[in-house]
Amino acid sequence: MRLHTLHELDRTEGTKHVAFLSVCAFTFLTNYGIGGLAPAFYILSLEFDKTMAETSELLLWPILVLGLFNFFWVPIANYFGKRPVFVFASGLLCVCFIWGAVATSFNSLLWSNIIAAFAGSSTEALGASIVNDLYFLHERGTKMGLYMNFISGGNTLGPLICGFVITGLSWRWHKWIAVILTAINFITVVLLVPETRYFRGENQNVVGSEANTASSEEVAAGSDLEKAAISDDKQTEAAKHGSSATFVTVPQKAWAQELSLWSGLAPDTNLLKMFVRPLPMFVYPCVVYSFLGYAVALVLTVSVNILNPFVLQAPPYSWSPMINGLINIPGFIGNVAGSFAGGWLVDFFCDWRTRRNNGVFEPENRLYLCILPLLITGAGCVLFGYGVEQTLHWTSLFFGYGMVSFALTAVPTITMAYVSDCVLPVNSDALMLVNGSKNIVAFGFLYGIVPWVEQVGYVDCFGAQAGIFVAVIALGMALLIPFGGKIRHEQAQWRIIL
């Protein structure tokens, strides 16, 4: 039985969407300001007299920080509230981009990116958990796909825009544009993103045919986006979601109250426990599969981001940064296609499978369509590596990158929604492990990507990466699709959540 909170029914759709899109914009701008600088790497290496490997650190160290500090922000947000974290972090991000715009040394620019990544890391897992705060089960795949598109879009649209900005103005103006956009986003976060934590309290009403049988472990993450009562028409709407649905109602907060940065501490716990609680969930197969698949998909995409300026802006291509930035058009198309496949298409497929299964939803249904990124991205990775080494026509590089980018949204959209389905009551902790771990693993791969390419060449390097990606996705599918249901029933008996 699913215990519904009234925010899923009674709040206007517009309010939920504005809050969600504000957080999506936050995570987009993090990657836009940091990863979007990639077309300037060749110019920056000349301006600051740095090697290709040294220049790539402008992106590599922020990737590590984006992952590591998930383990800081998520417990803080779960204990003190998500709203104060978003407000503080979005303001800090704007300040860091100002710092980057006026940086006069390579180290100063590097540290501005690192601190910006610290601020932006607050949205990696918390943004995904807000999908579960605000939307129904049948909406989450689509919304998770949209969220992943915003994350990846910063790394594709950012370099695309940056290429034109560098050619027409300078790389510093890329940072100033990021400052303007993050300042606007800071205002929207302050005014339009309320607290989305929710704790069951004594003064709430439970409505539904199975209200009396609900246990605390069946409660999904909720929010303060609730109202005081369910009217007759809302109960009719509730009936559409099943006669066994249960709904929780709490007093609605006025808009002025929602602007408060304080919503109380998490009950019946302490901050240390919040930091330690997620770690045992590394034994969950769904978590391991999600972070490994996401990590390898990220490695493939960022490898192309780091290396393509040194390929396309140097002989024999000798492109300007503006033209170089156009490689991100197929990257963006790949991201959109991946989020569509991992989001709407998976939701449609799951609805079809559920109807054939007498209305019983199985989370493993999501994993069947992992076959799409397995085939598309595996082939695209080989195509890009071969195209660079053999100096093929630029269209081979563009097609290869578009196919590689497909996995960056498709894989996490599918697997993170799967994780949320499997461990919904503690989804923010589980998603923190996925987001944090994937960046740490990706950093380990990417830190050696330039020496690896220089030593073995593009064909062997990207061929090996394609093999690793295909192996991870295929093995996970082979294990979880047939045995995932049994594994979930077994892990429900594990007493590892602190």
Side-chain angles (χ1 to χ4, degrees), residues 138-146 336-352 366 369 372 409-410 413-414 417:
H138 66 279
E139 299 174 301
R140 288 179 191 146
T142 302
K143 295 304 187 293
M144 191 71 79
L146 179 62
V336 173
S339 66
F340 172 80
W344 183 88
L345 188 58
V346 168
D347 280 346
F348 180 83
F349 178 77
C350 288
D351 287 343
W352 175 74
R366 296 189 186 275
L369 293 192
L372 296 177
T409 49
T413 299
I414 295 170

PDB file of all heavy atoms in Angstrom, residues 138-146 336-352 366 369 372 409-410 413-414 417:
ATOM      1  N   HIS A 138       3.750   7.306 -10.967  1.00  0.00           N
ATOM      2  CA  HIS A 138       3.683   7.221 -12.425  1.00  0.00           C
ATOM      3  C   HIS A 138       4.250   8.462 -13.112  1.00  0.00           C
ATOM      4  O   HIS A 138       4.399   8.483 -14.332  1.00  0.00           O
ATOM      5  CB  HIS A 138       2.236   6.992 -12.887  1.00  0.00           C
ATOM      6  CG  HIS A 138       1.319   8.146 -12.610  1.00  0.00           C
ATOM      7  ND1 HIS A 138       0.746   8.361 -11.383  1.00  0.00           N
ATOM      8  CD2 HIS A 138       0.890   9.160 -13.401  1.00  0.00           C
ATOM      9  CE1 HIS A 138      -0.009   9.454 -11.432  1.00  0.00           C
ATOM     10  NE2 HIS A 138       0.066   9.957 -12.645  1.00  0.00           N
ATOM     11  N   GLU A 139       4.571   9.506 -12.340  1.00  0.00           N
ATOM     12  CA  GLU A 139       5.153  10.730 -12.906  1.00  0.00           C
ATOM     13  C   GLU A 139       6.660  10.790 -12.730  1.00  0.00           C
ATOM     14  O   GLU A 139       7.333  11.603 -13.374  1.00  0.00           O
ATOM     15  CB  GLU A 139       4.546  11.964 -12.235  1.00  0.00           C
ATOM     16  CG  GLU A 139       3.052  12.122 -12.398  1.00  0.00           C
ATOM     17  CD  GLU A 139       2.521  13.290 -11.582  1.00  0.00           C
ATOM     18  OE1 GLU A 139       2.687  13.283 -10.348  1.00  0.00           O
ATOM     19  OE2 GLU A 139       1.948  14.206 -12.190  1.00  0.00           O
ATOM     20  N   ARG A 140       7.193   9.955 -11.851  1.00  0.00           N
ATOM     21  CA  ARG A 140       8.580  10.143 -11.423  1.00  0.00           C
ATOM     22  C   ARG A 140       9.599   9.860 -12.508  1.00  0.00           C
ATOM     23  O   ARG A 140      10.648  10.511 -12.571  1.00  0.00           O
ATOM     24  CB  ARG A 140       8.866   9.284 -10.183  1.00  0.00           C
ATOM     25  CG  ARG A 140       8.184   9.823  -8.948  1.00  0.00           C
ATOM     26  CD  ARG A 140       8.450   8.965  -7.740  1.00  0.00           C
ATOM     27  NE  ARG A 140       7.572   9.376  -6.648  1.00  0.00           N
ATOM     28  CZ  ARG A 140       7.071   8.561  -5.756  1.00  0.00           C
ATOM     29  NH1 ARG A 140       7.348   7.275  -5.820  1.00  0.00           N
ATOM     30  NH2 ARG A 140       6.286   9.010  -4.804  1.00  0.00           N
ATOM     31  N   GLY A 141       9.327   8.871 -13.359  1.00  0.00           N
ATOM     32  CA  GLY A 141      10.279   8.592 -14.424  1.00  0.00           C
ATOM     33  C   GLY A 141      10.447   9.782 -15.351  1.00  0.00           C
ATOM     34  O   GLY A 141      11.567  10.183 -15.685  1.00  0.00           O
ATOM     35  N   THR A 142       9.331  10.381 -15.752  1.00  0.00           N
ATOM     36  CA  THR A 142       9.386  11.544 -16.632  1.00  0.00           C
ATOM     37  C   THR A 142      10.073  12.718 -15.956  1.00  0.00           C
ATOM     38  O   THR A 142      10.918  13.397 -16.561  1.00  0.00           O
ATOM     39  CB  THR A 142       7.964  11.951 -17.055  1.00  0.00           C
ATOM     40  OG1 THR A 142       7.334  10.843 -17.710  1.00  0.00           O
ATOM     41  CG2 THR A 142       7.993  13.141 -18.000  1.00  0.00           C
ATOM     42  N   LYS A 143       9.719  12.973 -14.696  1.00  0.00           N
ATOM     43  CA  LYS A 143      10.315  14.106 -13.980  1.00  0.00           C
ATOM     44  C   LYS A 143      11.783  13.864 -13.692  1.00  0.00           C
ATOM     45  O   LYS A 143      12.600  14.794 -13.738  1.00  0.00           O
ATOM     46  CB  LYS A 143       9.552  14.358 -12.676  1.00  0.00           C
ATOM     47  CG  LYS A 143       8.102  14.810 -12.890  1.00  0.00           C
ATOM     48  CD  LYS A 143       8.026  16.056 -13.749  1.00  0.00           C
ATOM     49  CE  LYS A 143       6.609  16.616 -13.846  1.00  0.00           C
ATOM     50  NZ  LYS A 143       5.703  15.707 -14.582  1.00  0.00           N
ATOM     51  N   MET A 144      12.163  12.621 -13.382  1.00  0.00           N
ATOM     52  CA  MET A 144      13.576  12.318 -13.177  1.00  0.00           C
ATOM     53  C   MET A 144      14.350  12.522 -14.476  1.00  0.00           C
ATOM     54  O   MET A 144      15.487  13.018 -14.464  1.00  0.00           O
ATOM     55  CB  MET A 144      13.748  10.884 -12.675  1.00  0.00           C
ATOM     56  CG  MET A 144      15.151  10.556 -12.193  1.00  0.00           C
ATOM     57  SD  MET A 144      15.565  11.368 -10.630  1.00  0.00           S
ATOM     58  CE  MET A 144      14.721  10.285  -9.475  1.00  0.00           C
ATOM     59  N   GLY A 145      13.728  12.153 -15.601  1.00  0.00           N
ATOM     60  CA  GLY A 145      14.367  12.387 -16.893  1.00  0.00           C
ATOM     61  C   GLY A 145      14.579  13.864 -17.156  1.00  0.00           C
ATOM     62  O   GLY A 145      15.631  14.277 -17.653  1.00  0.00           O
ATOM     63  N   LEU A 146      13.588  14.686 -16.809  1.00  0.00           N
ATOM     64  CA  LEU A 146      13.725  16.129 -16.977  1.00  0.00           C
ATOM     65  C   LEU A 146      14.846  16.668 -16.106  1.00  0.00           C
ATOM     66  O   LEU A 146      15.673  17.483 -16.548  1.00  0.00           O
ATOM     67  CB  LEU A 146      12.401  16.812 -16.626  1.00  0.00           C
ATOM     68  CG  LEU A 146      12.372  18.336 -16.725  1.00  0.00           C
ATOM     69  CD1 LEU A 146      12.639  18.792 -18.151  1.00  0.00           C
ATOM     70  CD2 LEU A 146      11.022  18.876 -16.236  1.00  0.00           C
ATOM     71  N   VAL A 336      18.726  14.843 -24.661  1.00  0.00           N
ATOM     72  CA  VAL A 336      17.263  14.920 -24.722  1.00  0.00           C
ATOM     73  C   VAL A 336      16.672  13.557 -25.081  1.00  0.00           C
ATOM     74  O   VAL A 336      15.700  13.098 -24.470  1.00  0.00           O
ATOM     75  CB  VAL A 336      16.814  15.985 -25.741  1.00  0.00           C
ATOM     76  CG1 VAL A 336      15.303  15.943 -25.942  1.00  0.00           C
ATOM     77  CG2 VAL A 336      17.247  17.377 -25.275  1.00  0.00           C
ATOM     78  N   ALA A 337      17.273  12.900 -26.071  1.00  0.00           N
ATOM     79  CA  ALA A 337      16.789  11.575 -26.461  1.00  0.00           C
ATOM     80  C   ALA A 337      16.933  10.584 -25.318  1.00  0.00           C
ATOM     81  O   ALA A 337      16.046   9.746 -25.080  1.00  0.00           O
ATOM     82  CB  ALA A 337      17.555  11.086 -27.690  1.00  0.00           C
ATOM     83  N   GLY A 338      18.043  10.673 -24.578  1.00  0.00           N
ATOM     84  CA  GLY A 338      18.251   9.773 -23.452  1.00  0.00           C
ATOM     85  C   GLY A 338      17.262   9.998 -22.330  1.00  0.00           C
ATOM     86  O   GLY A 338      16.749   9.044 -21.726  1.00  0.00           O
ATOM     87  N   SER A 339      16.966  11.271 -22.037  1.00  0.00           N
ATOM     88  CA  SER A 339      16.002  11.556 -20.967  1.00  0.00           C
ATOM     89  C   SER A 339      14.599  11.137 -21.383  1.00  0.00           C
ATOM     90  O   SER A 339      13.801  10.685 -20.549  1.00  0.00           O
ATOM     91  CB  SER A 339      16.018  13.045 -20.610  1.00  0.00           C
ATOM     92  OG  SER A 339      15.544  13.845 -21.682  1.00  0.00           O
ATOM     93  N   PHE A 340      14.283  11.270 -22.672  1.00  0.00           N
ATOM     94  CA  PHE A 340      12.985  10.811 -23.167  1.00  0.00           C
ATOM     95  C   PHE A 340      12.875   9.291 -23.054  1.00  0.00           C
ATOM     96  O   PHE A 340      11.869   8.757 -22.585  1.00  0.00           O
ATOM     97  CB  PHE A 340      12.797  11.238 -24.622  1.00  0.00           C
ATOM     98  CG  PHE A 340      11.577  10.641 -25.283  1.00  0.00           C
ATOM     99  CD1 PHE A 340      10.321  11.181 -25.057  1.00  0.00           C
ATOM    100  CD2 PHE A 340      11.692   9.533 -26.117  1.00  0.00           C
ATOM    101  CE1 PHE A 340       9.191  10.634 -25.660  1.00  0.00           C
ATOM    102  CE2 PHE A 340      10.577   8.978 -26.722  1.00  0.00           C
ATOM    103  CZ  PHE A 340       9.322   9.525 -26.486  1.00  0.00           C
ATOM    104  N   ALA A 341      13.928   8.599 -23.472  1.00  0.00           N
ATOM    105  CA  ALA A 341      13.911   7.133 -23.413  1.00  0.00           C
ATOM    106  C   ALA A 341      13.886   6.643 -21.973  1.00  0.00           C
ATOM    107  O   ALA A 341      13.135   5.716 -21.634  1.00  0.00           O
ATOM    108  CB  ALA A 341      15.127   6.568 -24.139  1.00  0.00           C
ATOM    109  N   GLY A 342      14.698   7.265 -21.117  1.00  0.00           N
ATOM    110  CA  GLY A 342      14.765   6.827 -19.724  1.00  0.00           C
ATOM    111  C   GLY A 342      13.596   7.298 -18.887  1.00  0.00           C
ATOM    112  O   GLY A 342      13.329   6.722 -17.822  1.00  0.00           O
ATOM    113  N   GLY A 343      12.894   8.330 -19.348  1.00  0.00           N
ATOM    114  CA  GLY A 343      11.786   8.888 -18.585  1.00  0.00           C
ATOM    115  C   GLY A 343      10.439   8.472 -19.126  1.00  0.00           C
ATOM    116  O   GLY A 343       9.846   7.482 -18.695  1.00  0.00           O
ATOM    117  N   TRP A 344       9.934   9.214 -20.122  1.00  0.00           N
ATOM    118  CA  TRP A 344       8.585   8.957 -20.631  1.00  0.00           C
ATOM    119  C   TRP A 344       8.445   7.558 -21.213  1.00  0.00           C
ATOM    120  O   TRP A 344       7.466   6.863 -20.957  1.00  0.00           O
ATOM    121  CB  TRP A 344       8.228   9.990 -21.696  1.00  0.00           C
ATOM    122  CG  TRP A 344       6.820   9.821 -22.203  1.00  0.00           C
ATOM    123  CD1 TRP A 344       5.681  10.367 -21.694  1.00  0.00           C
ATOM    124  CD2 TRP A 344       6.411   9.005 -23.318  1.00  0.00           C
ATOM    125  NE1 TRP A 344       4.583   9.959 -22.416  1.00  0.00           N
ATOM    126  CE2 TRP A 344       5.002   9.117 -23.418  1.00  0.00           C
ATOM    127  CE3 TRP A 344       7.090   8.204 -24.233  1.00  0.00           C
ATOM    128  CZ2 TRP A 344       4.262   8.457 -24.399  1.00  0.00           C
ATOM    129  CZ3 TRP A 344       6.373   7.535 -25.206  1.00  0.00           C
ATOM    130  CH2 TRP A 344       4.968   7.669 -25.286  1.00  0.00           C
ATOM    131  N   LEU A 345       9.430   7.146 -22.020  1.00  0.00           N
ATOM    132  CA  LEU A 345       9.324   5.835 -22.664  1.00  0.00           C
ATOM    133  C   LEU A 345       9.326   4.710 -21.635  1.00  0.00           C
ATOM    134  O   LEU A 345       8.573   3.736 -21.756  1.00  0.00           O
ATOM    135  CB  LEU A 345      10.480   5.650 -23.652  1.00  0.00           C
ATOM    136  CG  LEU A 345      10.411   4.416 -24.559  1.00  0.00           C
ATOM    137  CD1 LEU A 345       9.133   4.425 -25.396  1.00  0.00           C
ATOM    138  CD2 LEU A 345      11.654   4.343 -25.463  1.00  0.00           C
ATOM    139  N   VAL A 346      10.159   4.832 -20.608  1.00  0.00           N
ATOM    140  CA  VAL A 346      10.182   3.819 -19.546  1.00  0.00           C
ATOM    141  C   VAL A 346       8.867   3.831 -18.768  1.00  0.00           C
ATOM    142  O   VAL A 346       8.327   2.766 -18.428  1.00  0.00           O
ATOM    143  CB  VAL A 346      11.388   4.043 -18.605  1.00  0.00           C
ATOM    144  CG1 VAL A 346      11.257   3.188 -17.345  1.00  0.00           C
ATOM    145  CG2 VAL A 346      12.683   3.710 -19.327  1.00  0.00           C
ATOM    146  N   ASP A 347       8.337   5.015 -18.465  1.00  0.00           N
ATOM    147  CA  ASP A 347       7.041   5.087 -17.780  1.00  0.00           C
ATOM    148  C   ASP A 347       5.947   4.412 -18.608  1.00  0.00           C
ATOM    149  O   ASP A 347       5.115   3.670 -18.075  1.00  0.00           O
ATOM    150  CB  ASP A 347       6.656   6.546 -17.518  1.00  0.00           C
ATOM    151  CG  ASP A 347       7.364   7.129 -16.308  1.00  0.00           C
ATOM    152  OD1 ASP A 347       7.942   6.347 -15.532  1.00  0.00           O
ATOM    153  OD2 ASP A 347       7.343   8.365 -16.138  1.00  0.00           O
ATOM    154  N   PHE A 348       5.952   4.679 -19.920  1.00  0.00           N
ATOM    155  CA  PHE A 348       4.961   4.064 -20.806  1.00  0.00           C
ATOM    156  C   PHE A 348       5.117   2.545 -20.821  1.00  0.00           C
ATOM    157  O   PHE A 348       4.133   1.796 -20.738  1.00  0.00           O
ATOM    158  CB  PHE A 348       5.121   4.626 -22.224  1.00  0.00           C
ATOM    159  CG  PHE A 348       4.162   4.064 -23.217  1.00  0.00           C
ATOM    160  CD1 PHE A 348       2.871   4.576 -23.335  1.00  0.00           C
ATOM    161  CD2 PHE A 348       4.533   3.011 -24.060  1.00  0.00           C
ATOM    162  CE1 PHE A 348       1.975   4.059 -24.263  1.00  0.00           C
ATOM    163  CE2 PHE A 348       3.646   2.479 -24.982  1.00  0.00           C
ATOM    164  CZ  PHE A 348       2.358   3.009 -25.082  1.00  0.00           C
ATOM    165  N   PHE A 349       6.363   2.090 -20.914  1.00  0.00           N
ATOM    166  CA  PHE A 349       6.635   0.649 -20.918  1.00  0.00           C
ATOM    167  C   PHE A 349       6.210   0.010 -19.597  1.00  0.00           C
ATOM    168  O   PHE A 349       5.621  -1.081 -19.581  1.00  0.00           O
ATOM    169  CB  PHE A 349       8.127   0.415 -21.165  1.00  0.00           C
ATOM    170  CG  PHE A 349       8.547  -1.026 -21.158  1.00  0.00           C
ATOM    171  CD1 PHE A 349       8.294  -1.840 -22.245  1.00  0.00           C
ATOM    172  CD2 PHE A 349       9.201  -1.571 -20.061  1.00  0.00           C
ATOM    173  CE1 PHE A 349       8.673  -3.176 -22.248  1.00  0.00           C
ATOM    174  CE2 PHE A 349       9.582  -2.899 -20.048  1.00  0.00           C
ATOM    175  CZ  PHE A 349       9.323  -3.703 -21.139  1.00  0.00           C
ATOM    176  N   CYS A 350       6.489   0.700 -18.481  1.00  0.00           N
ATOM    177  CA  CYS A 350       6.117   0.161 -17.164  1.00  0.00           C
ATOM    178  C   CYS A 350       4.601   0.099 -17.005  1.00  0.00           C
ATOM    179  O   CYS A 350       4.073  -0.859 -16.422  1.00  0.00           O
ATOM    180  CB  CYS A 350       6.731   1.010 -16.052  1.00  0.00           C
ATOM    181  SG  CYS A 350       8.512   0.809 -15.871  1.00  0.00           S
ATOM    182  N   ASP A 351       3.891   1.110 -17.505  1.00  0.00           N
ATOM    183  CA  ASP A 351       2.424   1.072 -17.456  1.00  0.00           C
ATOM    184  C   ASP A 351       1.886  -0.120 -18.233  1.00  0.00           C
ATOM    185  O   ASP A 351       0.967  -0.814 -17.783  1.00  0.00           O
ATOM    186  CB  ASP A 351       1.842   2.373 -18.034  1.00  0.00           C
ATOM    187  CG  ASP A 351       2.031   3.554 -17.107  1.00  0.00           C
ATOM    188  OD1 ASP A 351       2.312   3.324 -15.919  1.00  0.00           O
ATOM    189  OD2 ASP A 351       1.898   4.700 -17.573  1.00  0.00           O
ATOM    190  N   TRP A 352       2.476  -0.366 -19.404  1.00  0.00           N
ATOM    191  CA  TRP A 352       2.048  -1.501 -20.228  1.00  0.00           C
ATOM    192  C   TRP A 352       2.319  -2.828 -19.514  1.00  0.00           C
ATOM    193  O   TRP A 352       1.463  -3.699 -19.455  1.00  0.00           O
ATOM    194  CB  TRP A 352       2.775  -1.458 -21.567  1.00  0.00           C
ATOM    195  CG  TRP A 352       2.519  -2.633 -22.454  1.00  0.00           C
ATOM    196  CD1 TRP A 352       1.386  -2.906 -23.165  1.00  0.00           C
ATOM    197  CD2 TRP A 352       3.435  -3.712 -22.724  1.00  0.00           C
ATOM    198  NE1 TRP A 352       1.527  -4.080 -23.870  1.00  0.00           N
ATOM    199  CE2 TRP A 352       2.771  -4.604 -23.620  1.00  0.00           C
ATOM    200  CE3 TRP A 352       4.737  -4.002 -22.309  1.00  0.00           C
ATOM    201  CZ2 TRP A 352       3.384  -5.753 -24.087  1.00  0.00           C
ATOM    202  CZ3 TRP A 352       5.339  -5.151 -22.785  1.00  0.00           C
ATOM    203  CH2 TRP A 352       4.670  -6.020 -23.656  1.00  0.00           C
ATOM    204  N   ARG A 366      11.593  -1.225 -15.213  1.00  0.00           N
ATOM    205  CA  ARG A 366      12.346  -0.063 -15.716  1.00  0.00           C
ATOM    206  C   ARG A 366      13.637  -0.480 -16.407  1.00  0.00           C
ATOM    207  O   ARG A 366      14.116   0.203 -17.317  1.00  0.00           O
ATOM    208  CB  ARG A 366      12.681   0.887 -14.564  1.00  0.00           C
ATOM    209  CG  ARG A 366      11.486   1.524 -13.882  1.00  0.00           C
ATOM    210  CD  ARG A 366      11.935   2.611 -12.911  1.00  0.00           C
ATOM    211  NE  ARG A 366      10.824   3.148 -12.144  1.00  0.00           N
ATOM    212  CZ  ARG A 366      10.019   4.117 -12.570  1.00  0.00           C
ATOM    213  NH1 ARG A 366      10.220   4.638 -13.758  1.00  0.00           N
ATOM    214  NH2 ARG A 366       9.035   4.553 -11.801  1.00  0.00           N
ATOM    215  N   LEU A 369      14.754  -1.344 -20.565  1.00  0.00           N
ATOM    216  CA  LEU A 369      15.153  -0.374 -21.595  1.00  0.00           C
ATOM    217  C   LEU A 369      16.578   0.136 -21.414  1.00  0.00           C
ATOM    218  O   LEU A 369      17.024   1.005 -22.168  1.00  0.00           O
ATOM    219  CB  LEU A 369      14.162   0.788 -21.630  1.00  0.00           C
ATOM    220  CG  LEU A 369      12.760   0.414 -22.107  1.00  0.00           C
ATOM    221  CD1 LEU A 369      11.925   1.653 -22.384  1.00  0.00           C
ATOM    222  CD2 LEU A 369      12.787  -0.452 -23.362  1.00  0.00           C
ATOM    223  N   LEU A 372      18.865   0.139 -24.521  1.00  0.00           N
ATOM    224  CA  LEU A 372      19.047   1.231 -25.481  1.00  0.00           C
ATOM    225  C   LEU A 372      20.380   1.956 -25.288  1.00  0.00           C
ATOM    226  O   LEU A 372      21.163   2.073 -26.242  1.00  0.00           O
ATOM    227  CB  LEU A 372      17.868   2.206 -25.394  1.00  0.00           C
ATOM    228  CG  LEU A 372      16.499   1.650 -25.791  1.00  0.00           C
ATOM    229  CD1 LEU A 372      15.409   2.704 -25.597  1.00  0.00           C
ATOM    230  CD2 LEU A 372      16.519   1.179 -27.237  1.00  0.00           C
ATOM    231  N   THR A 409      21.986  10.714 -19.678  1.00  0.00           N
ATOM    232  CA  THR A 409      20.664  10.947 -19.100  1.00  0.00           C
ATOM    233  C   THR A 409      19.852   9.664 -18.983  1.00  0.00           C
ATOM    234  O   THR A 409      19.128   9.464 -18.007  1.00  0.00           O
ATOM    235  CB  THR A 409      19.874  11.964 -19.940  1.00  0.00           C
ATOM    236  OG1 THR A 409      19.940  11.582 -21.327  1.00  0.00           O
ATOM    237  CG2 THR A 409      20.442  13.365 -19.777  1.00  0.00           C
ATOM    238  N   ALA A 410      19.966   8.766 -19.967  1.00  0.00           N
ATOM    239  CA  ALA A 410      19.143   7.552 -19.953  1.00  0.00           C
ATOM    240  C   ALA A 410      19.477   6.653 -18.775  1.00  0.00           C
ATOM    241  O   ALA A 410      18.579   6.181 -18.061  1.00  0.00           O
ATOM    242  CB  ALA A 410      19.322   6.779 -21.264  1.00  0.00           C
ATOM    243  N   THR A 413      18.532   8.222 -15.248  1.00  0.00           N
ATOM    244  CA  THR A 413      17.082   8.372 -15.164  1.00  0.00           C
ATOM    245  C   THR A 413      16.424   7.028 -14.846  1.00  0.00           C
ATOM    246  O   THR A 413      15.557   6.931 -13.970  1.00  0.00           O
ATOM    247  CB  THR A 413      16.511   8.940 -16.471  1.00  0.00           C
ATOM    248  OG1 THR A 413      17.070  10.230 -16.716  1.00  0.00           O
ATOM    249  CG2 THR A 413      14.996   9.060 -16.399  1.00  0.00           C
ATOM    250  N   ILE A 414      16.842   5.993 -15.543  1.00  0.00           N
ATOM    251  CA  ILE A 414      16.267   4.668 -15.324  1.00  0.00           C
ATOM    252  C   ILE A 414      16.671   4.114 -13.964  1.00  0.00           C
ATOM    253  O   ILE A 414      15.829   3.671 -13.173  1.00  0.00           O
ATOM    254  CB  ILE A 414      16.707   3.703 -16.434  1.00  0.00           C
ATOM    255  CG1 ILE A 414      16.134   4.136 -17.791  1.00  0.00           C
ATOM    256  CG2 ILE A 414      16.269   2.264 -16.119  1.00  0.00           C
ATOM    257  CD1 ILE A 414      16.716   3.372 -18.977  1.00  0.00           C
ATOM    258  N   ALA A 417      15.464   6.136 -10.717  1.00  0.00           N
ATOM    259  CA  ALA A 417      14.043   5.890 -10.465  1.00  0.00           C
ATOM    260  C   ALA A 417      13.847   4.489  -9.897  1.00  0.00           C
ATOM    261  O   ALA A 417      13.001   4.268  -9.027  1.00  0.00           O
ATOM    262  CB  ALA A 417      13.244   6.067 -11.754  1.00  0.00           C
TER     263      ALA A 417
END
